[in-house]
Amino acid sequence: MTRERMMGEKLFHLSHLHPEGEMKVTLVLEPRSNISSGESPLSPSAVSHSDSASSTQSLSHGGAPELLVGLAYNATTGRLSVEMIKGSHFRNLAVNRAPDTYGKLFLLNSVGQEMSRCKTSIRRGQPNPVYKETFVFQVALFQLSDVTLMISVYNRRTMKRKEMIGWIALGQNSSGEEEQDHWEEMKETKGQQICRWHTLLES
């Protein structure tokens, strides 16, 4: 009941609609990998709500694994909300089947010490898994510029064996410009959730 598989998607430009009356259109769905990022007029950063973001297209950096993350911070309550929404292009390199994946989240202080950790449940056999799990960290406003949020995605091969698909870091020690921009945008929007795709770095 809880498993979802993306069977296909199609980008339809609303500029093709007839201004008056109704029109019927047959859309042929394609696998996500066949839709190039150049076709999308939407910037992933322009989408700020998880429901609409989950249907937008990933950045498609040559099929690299990506993760859609939602961030929100409430300065009044000191609550940092992190939603791990969905992944794209997750592969199981060892065997020819889709991986069983889960995410781990770590909040680190300014000297790299772990303040808090949590993880998602496992999504089995999905190259483009939907997680939609939200985690809340308590971070005072004066600490917000000094903490780092690390998100790692793992493929669980057996009960005792796992391999990292990739990771990102946001905050003080961001792993890239996209991650730093996402963090800064979250701080500026004062409580509104900001969703962006991030390309995972190899371990």
Side-chain angles (χ1 to χ4, degrees):
M1 290 293 289
T2 59
R3 289 182 62 178
E4 295 181 18
R5 285 181 184 271
M6 177 179 285
M7 302 184 70
E9 60 184 357
K10 183 67 175 178
L11 199 64
F12 180 73
H13 296 276
L14 296 182
S15 56
H16 297 163
L17 285 173
H18 197 275
E20 297 175 6
E22 296 181 359
M23 61 182 291
K24 292 184 178 179
V25 181
T26 301
L27 298 178
V28 179
L29 300 182
E30 302 174 24
R32 158 160 294 190
S33 58
N34 290 0
I35 300 180
S36 66
S37 58
E39 290 183 34
S40 176
L42 281 176
S43 161
S45 62
V47 182
S48 60
H49 191 268
S50 63
D51 286 345
S52 53
S54 64
S55 61
T56 59
Q57 195 175 334
S58 66
L59 297 172
S60 300
H61 289 306
E66 299 165 309
L67 188 66
L68 184 62
V69 177
L71 298 177
Y73 180 72
N74 187 318
T76 306
T77 60
R79 288 162 65 94
L80 170 64
S81 299
V82 183
E83 184 178 11
M84 199 162 143
I85 302 172
K86 67 188 296 188
S88 178
H89 302 117
F90 289 177
R91 295 187 183 86
N92 190 341
L93 299 177
V95 293
N96 190 24
R97 66 177 181 84
D100 299 338
T101 62
Y102 63 94
K104 278 188 174 182
L105 296 84
F106 298 90
L107 191 68
L108 310 174
N109 65 14
S110 58
V111 293
Q113 294 174 323
E114 185 181 311
M115 299 168 62
S116 183
R117 70 161 65 186
C118 45
K119 72 176 184 177
T120 70
S121 52
I122 296 174
R123 298 297 184 270
R124 301 185 187 281
Q126 299 178 48
N128 303 306
V130 176
Y131 297 97
K132 286 201 173 183
E133 293 188 38
T134 300
F135 304 92
V136 177
F137 301 92
Q138 205 66 37
V139 183
L141 182 59
F142 71 88
Q143 292 178 300
L144 195 58
S145 297
D146 300 328
V147 297
T148 301
L149 173 69
M150 283 197 64
I151 304 177
S152 306
V153 178
Y154 290 89
N155 170 27
R156 194 177 80 159
R157 294 176 58 181
T158 64
M159 288 296 288
K160 293 183 178 180
R161 291 189 63 189
K162 64 182 181 182
E163 60 186 8
M164 184 186 286
I165 291 176
W167 64 278
I168 56 169
L170 306 102
Q172 183 192 37
N173 296 309
S174 290
S175 52
E177 286 187 17
E178 290 173 1
E179 289 70 36
Q180 187 63 41
D181 290 347
H182 192 178
W183 190 261
E184 294 301 324
E185 190 176 354
M186 172 203 72
K187 288 161 61 176
E188 292 168 5
T189 51
K190 295 180 170 54
Q192 182 184 358
Q193 187 188 48
I194 304 297
C195 302
R196 284 197 182 188
W197 283 100
H198 295 277
T199 301
L200 298 180
L201 301 174
E202 294 181 5
S203 56

Short mmCIF file of all heavy atoms in Angstrom, two decimals, residues 5-31:
data_model
loop_
_atom_site.label_atom_id
_atom_site.label_comp_id
_atom_site.label_asym_id
_atom_site.label_seq_id
_atom_site.Cartn_x
_atom_site.Cartn_y
_atom_site.Cartn_z
N ARG A 5 5.63 3.52 -7.66
CA ARG A 5 6.60 3.43 -8.75
C ARG A 5 6.21 4.42 -9.83
O ARG A 5 5.06 4.45 -10.25
CB ARG A 5 6.63 2.03 -9.37
CG ARG A 5 7.32 0.99 -8.52
CD ARG A 5 7.30 -0.35 -9.25
NE ARG A 5 7.88 -1.40 -8.43
CZ ARG A 5 9.16 -1.71 -8.42
NH1 ARG A 5 10.00 -1.04 -9.17
NH2 ARG A 5 9.60 -2.68 -7.67
N MET A 6 7.16 5.23 -10.27
CA MET A 6 6.88 6.13 -11.37
C MET A 6 6.91 5.33 -12.68
O MET A 6 7.93 4.74 -13.03
CB MET A 6 7.89 7.26 -11.44
CG MET A 6 7.64 8.16 -12.63
SD MET A 6 8.80 9.52 -12.75
CE MET A 6 8.18 10.57 -11.47
N MET A 7 5.79 5.28 -13.38
CA MET A 7 5.72 4.53 -14.63
C MET A 7 6.14 5.39 -15.81
O MET A 7 6.61 4.88 -16.82
CB MET A 7 4.30 4.00 -14.83
CG MET A 7 3.84 3.11 -13.68
SD MET A 7 2.22 2.39 -13.95
CE MET A 7 2.56 1.23 -15.27
N GLY A 8 5.95 6.70 -15.70
CA GLY A 8 6.36 7.59 -16.78
C GLY A 8 5.85 8.98 -16.52
O GLY A 8 5.03 9.21 -15.64
N GLU A 9 6.36 9.94 -17.29
CA GLU A 9 5.90 11.31 -17.15
C GLU A 9 6.05 12.03 -18.49
O GLU A 9 6.76 11.56 -19.38
CB GLU A 9 6.68 12.04 -16.06
CG GLU A 9 8.16 12.13 -16.32
CD GLU A 9 8.91 12.78 -15.17
OE1 GLU A 9 8.27 13.22 -14.20
OE2 GLU A 9 10.14 12.87 -15.25
N LYS A 10 5.36 13.15 -18.62
CA LYS A 10 5.41 13.93 -19.85
C LYS A 10 5.25 15.39 -19.50
O LYS A 10 4.41 15.77 -18.69
CB LYS A 10 4.27 13.50 -20.80
CG LYS A 10 4.27 14.22 -22.16
CD LYS A 10 5.48 13.83 -23.00
CE LYS A 10 5.41 14.44 -24.39
NZ LYS A 10 6.60 14.11 -25.18
N LEU A 11 6.08 16.22 -20.11
CA LEU A 11 5.99 17.66 -19.92
C LEU A 11 5.04 18.23 -20.96
O LEU A 11 5.23 18.03 -22.16
CB LEU A 11 7.39 18.26 -20.09
CG LEU A 11 7.62 19.65 -19.52
CD1 LEU A 11 7.47 19.63 -18.00
CD2 LEU A 11 9.01 20.13 -19.88
N PHE A 12 3.99 18.93 -20.49
CA PHE A 12 3.02 19.54 -21.41
C PHE A 12 3.01 21.05 -21.18
O PHE A 12 2.74 21.52 -20.08
CB PHE A 12 1.62 18.96 -21.19
CG PHE A 12 0.57 19.56 -22.10
CD1 PHE A 12 0.54 19.22 -23.45
CD2 PHE A 12 -0.36 20.45 -21.62
CE1 PHE A 12 -0.42 19.76 -24.29
CE2 PHE A 12 -1.32 21.01 -22.45
CZ PHE A 12 -1.34 20.66 -23.79
N HIS A 13 3.35 21.79 -22.22
CA HIS A 13 3.40 23.26 -22.11
C HIS A 13 1.99 23.84 -22.21
O HIS A 13 1.28 23.58 -23.18
CB HIS A 13 4.29 23.83 -23.21
CG HIS A 13 5.72 23.40 -23.10
ND1 HIS A 13 6.62 24.05 -22.29
CD2 HIS A 13 6.39 22.36 -23.66
CE1 HIS A 13 7.79 23.45 -22.38
NE2 HIS A 13 7.68 22.43 -23.19
N LEU A 14 1.61 24.61 -21.22
CA LEU A 14 0.27 25.18 -21.21
C LEU A 14 0.07 26.19 -22.33
O LEU A 14 -1.06 26.54 -22.67
CB LEU A 14 -0.01 25.84 -19.86
CG LEU A 14 -0.02 24.88 -18.67
CD1 LEU A 14 -0.35 25.63 -17.38
CD2 LEU A 14 -1.02 23.76 -18.88
N SER A 15 1.16 26.65 -22.92
CA SER A 15 1.03 27.58 -24.06
C SER A 15 0.39 26.89 -25.27
O SER A 15 -0.09 27.55 -26.19
CB SER A 15 2.41 28.13 -24.45
OG SER A 15 3.29 27.06 -24.73
N HIS A 16 0.36 25.55 -25.27
CA HIS A 16 -0.25 24.80 -26.37
C HIS A 16 -1.77 24.74 -26.24
O HIS A 16 -2.45 24.27 -27.16
CB HIS A 16 0.30 23.37 -26.42
CG HIS A 16 1.78 23.32 -26.69
ND1 HIS A 16 2.54 22.21 -26.44
CD2 HIS A 16 2.63 24.26 -27.16
CE1 HIS A 16 3.80 22.46 -26.75
NE2 HIS A 16 3.88 23.69 -27.18
N LEU A 17 -2.31 25.15 -25.09
CA LEU A 17 -3.75 25.08 -24.89
C LEU A 17 -4.48 26.08 -25.77
O LEU A 17 -4.00 27.19 -25.99
CB LEU A 17 -4.09 25.36 -23.42
CG LEU A 17 -3.81 24.25 -22.41
CD1 LEU A 17 -4.05 24.76 -21.01
CD2 LEU A 17 -4.67 23.03 -22.69
N HIS A 18 -5.65 25.67 -26.23
CA HIS A 18 -6.48 26.58 -27.00
C HIS A 18 -7.15 27.55 -26.02
O HIS A 18 -7.68 27.14 -25.00
CB HIS A 18 -7.55 25.79 -27.78
CG HIS A 18 -8.16 26.59 -28.89
ND1 HIS A 18 -9.21 27.44 -28.68
CD2 HIS A 18 -7.86 26.67 -30.22
CE1 HIS A 18 -9.55 28.02 -29.83
NE2 HIS A 18 -8.73 27.57 -30.78
N PRO A 19 -7.12 28.87 -26.30
CA PRO A 19 -7.64 29.84 -25.33
C PRO A 19 -9.14 29.71 -25.07
O PRO A 19 -9.63 30.17 -24.04
CB PRO A 19 -7.31 31.19 -25.97
CG PRO A 19 -7.13 30.90 -27.42
CD PRO A 19 -6.58 29.51 -27.50
N GLU A 20 -9.89 29.14 -26.00
CA GLU A 20 -11.33 29.02 -25.80
C GLU A 20 -11.76 27.56 -25.95
O GLU A 20 -11.28 26.84 -26.80
CB GLU A 20 -12.09 29.88 -26.82
CG GLU A 20 -11.80 31.37 -26.69
CD GLU A 20 -12.47 32.18 -27.78
OE1 GLU A 20 -13.23 31.59 -28.56
OE2 GLU A 20 -12.22 33.39 -27.85
N GLY A 21 -12.75 27.18 -25.14
CA GLY A 21 -13.30 25.84 -25.26
C GLY A 21 -12.39 24.77 -24.68
O GLY A 21 -11.38 25.05 -24.05
N GLU A 22 -12.77 23.51 -24.93
CA GLU A 22 -12.01 22.38 -24.42
C GLU A 22 -11.21 21.74 -25.54
O GLU A 22 -11.56 21.86 -26.71
CB GLU A 22 -12.95 21.32 -23.82
CG GLU A 22 -13.73 21.80 -22.61
CD GLU A 22 -14.62 20.70 -22.06
OE1 GLU A 22 -14.62 19.59 -22.64
OE2 GLU A 22 -15.30 20.95 -21.06
N MET A 23 -10.15 21.07 -25.15
CA MET A 23 -9.39 20.29 -26.13
C MET A 23 -8.93 19.02 -25.47
O MET A 23 -8.64 18.98 -24.27
CB MET A 23 -8.20 21.09 -26.68
CG MET A 23 -7.16 21.50 -25.66
SD MET A 23 -5.81 22.47 -26.33
CE MET A 23 -4.95 21.25 -27.32
N LYS A 24 -8.91 17.93 -26.25
CA LYS A 24 -8.45 16.64 -25.74
C LYS A 24 -7.07 16.36 -26.32
O LYS A 24 -6.86 16.51 -27.52
CB LYS A 24 -9.43 15.53 -26.13
CG LYS A 24 -10.78 15.66 -25.42
CD LYS A 24 -11.68 14.49 -25.74
CE LYS A 24 -13.01 14.61 -24.98
NZ LYS A 24 -13.93 13.49 -25.29
N VAL A 25 -6.18 15.95 -25.46
CA VAL A 25 -4.80 15.70 -25.88
C VAL A 25 -4.39 14.32 -25.36
O VAL A 25 -4.65 13.99 -24.21
CB VAL A 25 -3.84 16.76 -25.30
CG1 VAL A 25 -2.41 16.48 -25.76
CG2 VAL A 25 -4.27 18.15 -25.71
N THR A 26 -3.76 13.54 -26.22
CA THR A 26 -3.21 12.25 -25.80
C THR A 26 -1.73 12.45 -25.52
O THR A 26 -0.97 12.86 -26.41
CB THR A 26 -3.40 11.18 -26.89
OG1 THR A 26 -4.79 11.03 -27.16
CG2 THR A 26 -2.82 9.85 -26.43
N LEU A 27 -1.32 12.17 -24.31
CA LEU A 27 0.08 12.32 -23.93
C LEU A 27 0.72 10.94 -23.81
O LEU A 27 0.21 10.08 -23.10
CB LEU A 27 0.21 13.06 -22.60
CG LEU A 27 -0.34 14.49 -22.55
CD1 LEU A 27 -0.17 15.07 -21.15
CD2 LEU A 27 0.38 15.38 -23.55
N VAL A 28 1.82 10.75 -24.49
CA VAL A 28 2.57 9.50 -24.40
C VAL A 28 3.62 9.66 -23.30
O VAL A 28 4.52 10.49 -23.42
CB VAL A 28 3.24 9.15 -25.74
CG1 VAL A 28 4.04 7.85 -25.61
CG2 VAL A 28 2.21 9.04 -26.85
N LEU A 29 3.47 8.90 -22.24
CA LEU A 29 4.41 9.01 -21.12
C LEU A 29 5.75 8.38 -21.48
O LEU A 29 5.81 7.38 -22.20
CB LEU A 29 3.83 8.33 -19.89
CG LEU A 29 2.49 8.89 -19.38
CD1 LEU A 29 2.07 8.15 -18.11
CD2 LEU A 29 2.59 10.38 -19.11
N GLU A 30 6.81 8.98 -20.96
CA GLU A 30 8.16 8.47 -21.20
C GLU A 30 8.84 8.21 -19.87
O GLU A 30 8.50 8.84 -18.87
CB GLU A 30 8.98 9.51 -21.97
CG GLU A 30 8.39 9.93 -23.31
CD GLU A 30 9.19 11.06 -23.92
OE1 GLU A 30 10.37 11.19 -23.58
OE2 GLU A 30 8.63 11.80 -24.73
N PRO A 31 9.82 7.30 -19.86
CA PRO A 31 10.63 7.15 -18.64
C PRO A 31 11.34 8.45 -18.35
O PRO A 31 11.66 9.21 -19.26
CB PRO A 31 11.64 6.05 -19.00
CG PRO A 31 11.05 5.37 -20.20
CD PRO A 31 10.22 6.39 -20.92
#
